[in-house]
Amino acid sequence: MEKIEHTTVQTNGINLHVASIGTGPAVLFLHGFPELWYSWRHQMFSLSSLGYRAIAPDLRGYGDSDAPPSAESYSSFHIVGDLVGLIDKMGIDKVFLVGHDWGAVIAWHFCLFRPDRVKALVNMSVPFRPRHPIIKPVEGLRALFGDDYYICRFQEPGEAEEDFAGDDIANILKKFYGGRNPSPPCVPREIGFKGLKAPELPFWLSQQDLDYFVEKFKQKGFTGGLNYYRALNLTWELTAAWSGVQVKVPTKFIVGDLDITYHFPGAKEYINGDGFKKDVPFLQDVVVMEGVAHFINQEKPEEVTTHIYDFIKKF
């Protein structure tokens, strides 16, 4: 870990903490919720040894990066703006982009807004979702799954934070990281997240790893990460001009067959059928990893690194 360089970069009006290692073509890693740059530690070491410059920021709201308090500061335009400013500051023209979970959502939007800055994309867990012309995302999810669906439960500022505060941070993180049930995560208000039973530490995470995540979330809290969910409808409003626009970047997509995202209604048909390729015409490869859950890059680090390397080395 001491080989990883840590810097603070001023971009788009905030300070971003950035971890990096290696020299060569730049690979920009984007983490999800509730995670940090640290989620990419395995891929960073491996790809830096293969001749790449691995760069992983704590995204806005996380870890050692700034966390503006208002959810209105967390649209995809804000986050992509942070990242374009980051690579500008680092003197990088184009990057290989790698995303997972919320990082994948941001990566899709990065490729929609600024395809000129991306050589190729490897995205995990969350497929591209074309913008619905009428239905806002949160309303669509509420209609499908009801008010107890976790994203709907995250909407009210302060409510999820208060719920999380009733439990130990290590337990909260284990409840997210340890989940292997691919059905929609619904949490009745009367039970709350604190009322859910915490699983054992997942096999892919050491106590030392968990301690690092716990320390950072203890310092920063969860509001920054939750604000991404609270800005879903705002991003929908602001991306009206991109309705129907295709993602025209060479792309590889990886998902585990136990991931909740793979069991979202219509997702399997979209990913494995013609729909995905229609929206992402330069989609070159789809990998469905058997017996693998949501935190795929940490659960299967060597396989995921190989999938990334085998794709980006073509360019």
Side-chain angles (χ1 to χ4, degrees):
M1 282 297 164
E2 63 276 2
K3 292 180 180 175
I4 290 180
E5 182 185 348
H6 295 271
T7 55
T8 300
V9 176
Q10 288 187 322
T11 170
N12 196 21
I14 66 166
N15 292 312
L16 275 193
H17 164 246
V18 183
S20 62
I21 185 171
T23 57
V27 184
L28 181 62
F29 293 96
L30 309 180
H31 68 79
F33 176 89
E35 299 182 84
L36 301 162
W37 75 268
Y38 190 82
S39 305
W40 296 109
R41 60 200 178 281
H42 305 294
Q43 288 74 31
M44 292 178 74
F45 286 123
S46 300
L47 286 171
S48 64
S49 72
L50 290 165
Y52 291 89
R53 183 182 184 187
I55 302 164
D58 282 333
L59 294 178
R60 170 186 291 240
Y62 286 94
D64 294 318
S65 292
D66 285 351
S70 169
E72 292 180 358
S73 299
Y74 289 82
S75 76
S76 284
F77 287 98
H78 290 88
I79 317 301
V80 174
D82 296 344
L83 298 169
V84 171
L86 168 63
I87 62 175
D88 283 348
K89 279 281 179 75
M90 298 182 89
I92 300 166
D93 181 37
K94 289 190 171 194
V95 294
F96 292 111
L97 201 53
V98 179
H100 169 258
D101 185 77
W102 258 107
V105 177
I106 299 304
W108 291 123
H109 282 137
F110 194 125
C111 292
L112 269 186
F113 305 156
R114 295 302 304 270
D116 57 307
R117 305 302 297 271
V118 183
K119 290 180 189 173
L121 168 68
V122 179
N123 244 357
M124 291 167 227
S125 185
V126 181
F128 182 68
R129 291 201 180 116
R131 180 185 183 277
H132 195 286
I134 302 164
I135 302 171
K136 294 182 178 182
V138 177
E139 282 60 50
L141 292 168
R142 190 170 275 121
L144 272 175
F145 303 119
D147 290 335
D148 290 342
Y149 188 58
Y150 78 106
I151 291 176
C152 301
R153 289 290 317 280
F154 286 170
Q155 291 305 306
E156 188 61 38
E159 190 177 293
E161 290 91 331
E162 187 179 337
D163 186 355
F164 289 179
D167 201 352
D168 179 72
I169 288 177
N171 280 341
I172 291 289
L173 292 176
K174 281 194 279 189
K175 289 171 191 181
F176 283 104
Y177 298 160
R180 301 191 75 78
N181 180 353
S183 57
C186 292
V187 183
R189 185 172 267 100
E190 59 273 16
I191 295 173
F193 288 89
K194 64 178 175 286
L196 302 175
K197 186 176 184 298
E200 294 298 309
L201 194 66
F203 66 89
W204 47 263
L205 198 68
S206 72
Q207 185 61 49
Q208 187 179 2
D209 294 330
L210 181 66
D211 290 345
Y212 184 84
F213 285 110
V214 168
E215 179 196 351
K216 295 303 176 185
F217 279 100
K218 195 174 281 183
Q219 290 170 8
K220 187 68 78 180
F222 289 94
T223 299
L226 292 166
N227 278 342
Y228 285 67
Y229 297 94
R230 293 166 184 160
L232 272 166
N233 283 352
L234 175 61
T235 291
W236 178 85
E237 291 171 15
L238 296 173
T239 50
W242 281 266
S243 285
V245 176
Q246 296 171 311
V247 174
K248 292 190 173 177
V249 167
T251 300
K252 181 173 189 170
F253 182 72
I254 310 169
V255 67
D257 71 351
L258 295 180
D259 197 325
I260 58 168
T261 61
Y262 194 57
H263 293 262
F264 192 87
K268 288 181 191 175
E269 296 77 9
Y270 177 76
I271 290 167
N272 299 307
D274 297 330
F276 202 2
K277 182 78 175 171
K278 181 171 169 286
D279 294 324
V280 187
F282 303 146
L283 178 67
Q284 296 185 16
D285 199 7
V286 170
V287 178
V288 181
M289 297 178 69
E290 289 185 21
V292 182
H294 181 67
F295 295 92
I296 190 166
N297 50 316
Q298 296 185 79
E299 183 176 335
K300 292 289 183 184
E302 290 89 3
E303 292 93 325
V304 166
T305 297
T306 300
H307 279 305
I308 295 169
Y309 178 63
D310 285 349
F311 188 62
I312 66 176
K313 71 181 182 183
K314 300 177 188 175
F315 300 93

